[in-house]
Amino acid sequence: MATTIRDVAKEAGVSAATVSRVLNNSGYAHEDTRKAVLDAIQKLNYRPNEVARSLYKQKSKLIGLILPDITNPFFPALARGVEDYLREHGYRLIIGNSDEQLEQEIDYLDTFAQHNVVGIVASINEPHSDMLSDLNVPIVLLDRTVEELPAVYADQFEGGRLAAEKMLERGSKEITIIRGPIEVRPVYQRFVSSFQVLRQAGVKVHVFDSKLSFEGASKSASSLFEFYPNTDGILACNDIVAVAMMNEAQRTGRKVPEDVQIIGFDDISISELVYPGLSTIRQPAYEMGEKAAEILLKKINQQVLDDLHCQLPVQFIERQSTRKVGE
Amino acid sequence: MATTIRDVAKEAGVSAATVSRVLNNSGYAHEDTRKAVLDAIQKLNYRPNEVARSLYKQKSKLIGLILPDITNPFFPALARGVEDYLREHGYRLIIGNSDEQLEQEIDYLDTFAQHNVVGIVASINEPHSDMLSDLNVPIVLLDRTVEELPAVYADQFEGGRLAAEKMLERGSKEITIIRGPIEVRPVYQRFVSSFQVLRQAGVKVHVFDSKLSFEGASKSASSLFEFYPNTDGILACNDIVAVAMMNEAQRTGRKVPEDVQIIGFDDISISELVYPGLSTIRQPAYEMGEKAAEILLKKINQQVLDDLHCQLPVQFIERQSTRKVGE
DNA sequence: ATGAAAGCGCTAACAT
DNA sequence: ATGTTAGCGCTTTCAT
């Protein structure tokens, strides 16, 4: 059996209440008793039971995190940002993968409530507002947005625009945009933005669909050049898809970037390691996670938020899958 | 305020105890009252407070998971396996990244205890046995082993051997083994095993060190061919490192697999997507995670384990970074 | 078959 | 400055 606050109290020759006071630095405590208590705690290696604490205070030190799929490298980066920040502030994470499934999101939200989480960070598309207000717990959206909730995300329109412009500047004339699932908002936004720029520029543009997953990317890649053999520029919806497309380009004897240029989205770690290095639009995933955590803690501590929405800048990272030009 | 068991009791016109009974299918309950309670639960959308439950029973529905670094694609695969299995059985995950740091591992173990977790899955090298027995909670090691604890891992010796043999069969004569950090046991084991095979075969073999991370891989890759320019075969400690090396090979004008063959380890998702496709030793990560979860639940439910250690098979996955031979 | 009451470990009023 | 008491929401004897 773990040591309880009573054990400590007995050891120190005081009451449980006193122990609680020194533990929480609340109320008075004579320096001597304080020391006695601290000694007893040390001696018994006592750690307060968070569950009991949580039951009484109706709030835990737990924070819920919902991500679509931790298996997609973009999300672990977010998660680490969240975790590292929260951890330093004494909070821990209950984590759940939703696979973008409403049902699973709800299921986790439910669980979070049952465990008295004090806050939630979530990458979900349509927050179930009744549910959320029901929980009555601060939430911040990550990589997703909705008008009324705090959110941290990267500038998708700028990202989409940047990708298209850089591609244009580097001379591609027949560009295929790989569009991800339109239900995933940020992915759709970057598509729209790229598409607009390309259209206005008057180049030839194709739209080709792909899932965001590894298998999906691989599958769609295999038929890209059957549909659009003259593609000389690819704007991919994320880096995974970009890498798959780059593979297919090379496999079909095309040179990258000479014959086909490719720009990805996200800047996941692997993008730097593949050959040729993948040019991409960087989303500052780790920082996004940190920022979301920071905002969440502010809300938890009732501090006022300067802005509900925090948009982080994206950045064009040029590597070797595009033809560098003097700028 | 969330609805409590008393609200339900009042609504159903019974006592809290009765509600509890129907909730847990324990003790008697007349069919009529049972129905009344169920209706009330439905009507009030009542969900029992897991924290209160956990406090009384001294055990939660939470399971702790410690991973070195979720940012390394091998671990999310494990994590998903664990999560998906546990989830189906009503358990949730508190997750923590340790960065292989003893201090953080202990920190999380502590947290887990404070939250009354009923079990732990951990990828840690030296379980702090005093601590662990202190928690008095079942644990299963994942991707790591120690004599006395249940563990799930892939056959590292076989993996190392396979990689070396396949490389030999495919004709490389001057092989560089990229050795990861020797403190990480499985990584060390695969190295030893490969090394032995290569030595016995009498080919020229170099050993070159690298970290397992993206940055580490990239850094060490950049000087590989300065040290061993005549390398015609690379055995990498994991796929990330393999991809980095493959990049460097191509960057320095070497053809893969014609001039240099490369075999990785893990078979992370991206390995299929890079060009050329990376031949590798597959560890069944997702299945490992599932298996660990399964074993943990068995322990939690006091069932007997057939074997303490569960070793899963590895497999050589041949793609295009090696020269296929008729076999 | 059901209810009353105690208690899981902790904290916060309230006394002293 | 410190102790006593009640109670967070639940489960489980023990009565009835």
Side-chain angles (χ1 to χ4, degrees):
Chain A
M1 195 80 282
T3 51
T4 79
I5 200 170
R6 275 173 229 287
D7 299 329
V8 176
K10 187 182 293 180
E11 176 74 25
V14 297
S15 76
T18 303
V19 177
S20 176
R21 274 189 216 102
V22 340
L23 221 49
N24 300 292
N25 279 315
S26 60
Y28 303 89
H30 189 80
E31 193 48 44
D32 295 348
T33 39
R34 180 186 183 69
K35 193 171 171 319
V37 169
L38 258 17
D39 285 351
I41 288 177
Q42 188 98 55
K43 179 173 173 198
L44 302 181
N45 189 28
Y46 166 75
R47 313 229 125 265
N49 181 327
E50 277 301 330
V51 175
R53 222 174 222 186
S54 167
L55 177 61
Y56 183 88
K57 315 237 289 194
Q58 305 284 33
K59 49 170 76 168
S60 66
K61 282 291 188 179
L62 258 17
I63 283 173
L65 175 63
I66 301 183
L67 261 19
D69 178 18
I70 208 190
T71 259
N72 173 338
F74 176 65
F75 294 105
L78 291 176
R80 280 295 318 236
V82 174
E83 185 197 334
D84 290 353
Y85 189 93
L86 253 25
R87 184 170 192 283
E88 271 184 19
H89 294 261
Y91 293 91
R92 297 297 126 102
L93 241 37
I94 302 187
I95 198 175
N97 293 94
S98 69
D99 293 316
E100 312 266 6
Q101 303 291 298
L102 187 68
E103 185 203 323
Q104 303 198 41
E105 294 171 358
I106 292 178
D107 193 37
Y108 271 111
L109 254 16
D110 243 348
T111 305
F112 294 165
Q114 294 186 348
H115 288 277
N116 287 359
V117 301
V118 272
I120 295 173
V121 176
S123 294
I124 53 186
N125 278 315
E126 19 165 340
H128 334 291
S129 43
D130 44 338
M131 178 108 228
L132 252 28
S133 52
D134 221 54
L135 303 195
N136 195 29
V137 143
I139 182 171
V140 4
L141 260 29
L142 182 50
D143 182 48
R144 306 290 160 103
T145 2
V146 88
E147 193 66 47
E148 52 307 352
L149 259 23
V152 176
Y153 52 92
D155 190 342
Q156 302 296 318
F157 285 105
E158 173 69 4
R161 215 204 70 218
L162 257 182
E165 284 177 355
K166 298 297 178 179
M167 185 60 82
L168 253 17
E169 281 173 15
R170 280 152 189 74
S172 287
K173 298 292 184 220
E174 181 168 345
I175 299 172
T176 301
I177 306 187
I178 317 292
R179 172 176 66 182
I182 58 174
E183 321 84 69
V184 180
R185 195 131 19 147
V187 173
Y188 184 66
Q189 289 172 340
R190 62 186 82 149
F191 162 75
V192 169
S193 179
S194 286
F195 188 75
Q196 279 178 351
V197 173
L198 258 29
R199 257 301 158 80
Q200 286 190 1
V203 297
K204 205 158 175 182
V205 23
H206 309 293
V207 174
F208 189 80
D209 283 324
S210 172
K211 298 253 182 72
L212 298 172
S213 64
F214 287 95
E215 311 74 48
S218 172
K219 212 165 95 184
S220 52
S222 65
S223 63
L224 172 65
F225 294 108
E226 288 171 27
F227 281 89
Y228 307 117
N230 300 317
T231 292
D232 67 351
I234 297 174
L235 256 31
C237 49
N238 73 10
D239 283 356
I240 292 174
V241 172
V243 171
M245 297 299 167
M246 192 154 77
N247 177 327
E248 183 65 11
Q250 295 182 87
R251 201 184 65 77
T252 55
R254 280 161 244 253
K255 292 215 159 233
V256 179
E258 293 81 354
D259 302 329
V260 190
Q261 303 191 87
I262 301 177
I263 296 179
F265 209 105
D266 285 350
D267 194 28
I268 58 179
S269 302
I270 200 74
S271 302
E272 191 183 347
L273 260 37
V274 295
Y275 183 85
L278 180 67
S279 295
T280 190
I281 304 299
R282 172 174 174 75
Q283 298 197 73
Y286 186 87
E287 292 78 9
M288 286 165 66
E290 283 185 315
K291 193 74 190 169
E294 182 191 332
I295 290 177
L296 185 62
L297 287 198
K298 273 199 181 144
K299 280 205 75 180
I300 289 173
N301 298 319
Q302 318 260 27
Q303 292 171 248
V304 281
L305 268 36
D306 313 327
D307 292 293
L308 213 51
H309 286 193
C310 171
Q311 189 181 67
L312 267 48
V314 296
Q315 195 185 346
F316 177 60
I317 303 287
E318 179 144 45
R319 289 195 270 253
Q320 296 81 46
S321 69
T322 47
R323 306 184 285 267
K324 206 164 239 148
V325 293
E327 286 184 68
Chain B
M1 193 79 287
T3 49
T4 79
I5 200 170
R6 272 172 230 289
D7 300 330
V8 177
K10 187 183 291 178
E11 175 74 25
V14 298
S15 77
T18 303
V19 177
S20 177
R21 272 188 219 103
V22 341
L23 220 49
N24 299 291
N25 279 316
S26 60
Y28 303 91
H30 189 83
E31 194 47 45
D32 294 349
T33 40
R34 179 185 183 70
K35 191 168 172 324
V37 169
L38 258 17
D39 284 352
I41 288 176
Q42 188 97 55
K43 179 173 173 200
L44 301 182
N45 189 28
Y46 166 74
R47 312 227 125 266
N49 181 328
E50 277 301 330
V51 175
R53 223 175 222 188
S54 167
L55 179 60
Y56 183 88
K57 316 235 292 189
Q58 305 284 30
K59 49 170 76 167
S60 66
K61 281 292 189 181
L62 258 18
I63 282 174
L65 175 62
I66 301 183
L67 260 20
D69 178 18
I70 207 191
T71 259
N72 173 338
F74 176 65
F75 294 106
L78 290 176
R80 281 292 324 233
V82 174
E83 185 196 334
D84 290 353
Y85 189 93
L86 253 25
R87 183 170 193 285
E88 272 183 18
H89 295 261
Y91 293 90
R92 297 298 127 103
L93 242 35
I94 302 188
I95 198 175
N97 293 96
S98 68
D99 293 316
E100 311 267 5
Q101 304 288 299
L102 187 68
E103 185 203 323
Q104 303 197 43
E105 294 171 359
I106 291 178
D107 194 38
Y108 271 112
L109 254 16
D110 244 348
T111 305
F112 293 165
Q114 294 186 351
H115 288 278
N116 287 359
V117 300
V118 274
I120 295 173
V121 176
S123 295
I124 54 187
N125 278 314
E126 18 166 340
H128 333 291
S129 42
D130 44 338
M131 178 110 228
L132 251 30
S133 52
D134 221 55
L135 301 195
N136 195 28
V137 144
I139 182 172
V140 5
L141 259 29
L142 182 51
D143 184 46
R144 305 291 160 104
T145 1
V146 88
E147 193 66 47
E148 46 318 343
L149 260 25
V152 175
Y153 52 92
D155 190 343
Q156 301 296 316
F157 285 106
E158 172 70 5
R161 214 203 70 217
L162 258 183
E165 285 178 354
K166 298 295 181 181
M167 184 61 83
L168 253 16
E169 282 172 14
R170 281 152 189 73
S172 286
K173 298 292 183 217
E174 181 168 345
I175 300 172
T176 300
I177 306 187
I178 318 292
R179 173 177 64 183
I182 59 174
E183 321 85 68
V184 181
R185 195 129 18 148
V187 173
Y188 184 65
Q189 290 172 340
R190 61 186 83 147
F191 162 74
V192 169
S193 178
S194 286
F195 188 74
Q196 279 178 351
V197 172
L198 257 29
R199 258 299 159 83
Q200 286 191 1
V203 297
K204 205 159 177 182
V205 25
H206 308 295
V207 175
F208 190 80
D209 283 324
S210 171
K211 297 254 182 73
L212 298 171
S213 64
F214 288 96
E215 312 75 46
S218 172
K219 213 165 92 186
S220 52
S222 65
S223 62
L224 172 65
F225 294 107
E226 289 170 27
F227 281 90
Y228 307 116
N230 300 318
T231 292
D232 67 350
I234 297 174
L235 256 32
C237 49
N238 73 12
D239 284 355
I240 292 174
V241 171
V243 171
M245 296 300 165
M246 191 154 77
N247 177 326
E248 184 64 11
Q250 296 181 87
R251 202 184 62 79
T252 56
R254 281 162 244 254
K255 292 215 160 232
V256 178
E258 292 81 353
D259 302 329
V260 190
Q261 302 191 88
I262 302 178
I263 297 179
F265 209 104
D266 285 351
D267 194 28
I268 57 179
S269 302
I270 199 75
S271 302
E272 191 183 347
L273 260 38
V274 295
Y275 184 84
L278 180 65
S279 295
T280 190
I281 304 297
R282 173 175 172 75
Q283 298 196 73
Y286 186 86
E287 291 78 9
M288 286 166 64
E290 282 184 318
K291 194 72 190 172
E294 182 192 331
I295 290 178
L296 185 63
L297 287 198
K298 273 199 182 144
K299 281 205 73 180
I300 289 173
N301 298 320
Q302 319 260 29
Q303 292 172 245
V304 281
L305 268 37
D306 313 327
D307 291 293
L308 213 52
H309 286 192
C310 170
Q311 188 182 66
L312 267 49
V314 296
Q315 193 185 349
F316 177 60
I317 304 288
E318 180 145 44
R319 290 195 269 252
Q320 297 81 46
S321 69
T322 46
R323 305 185 286 268
K324 206 165 239 148
V325 292
E327 285 184 72

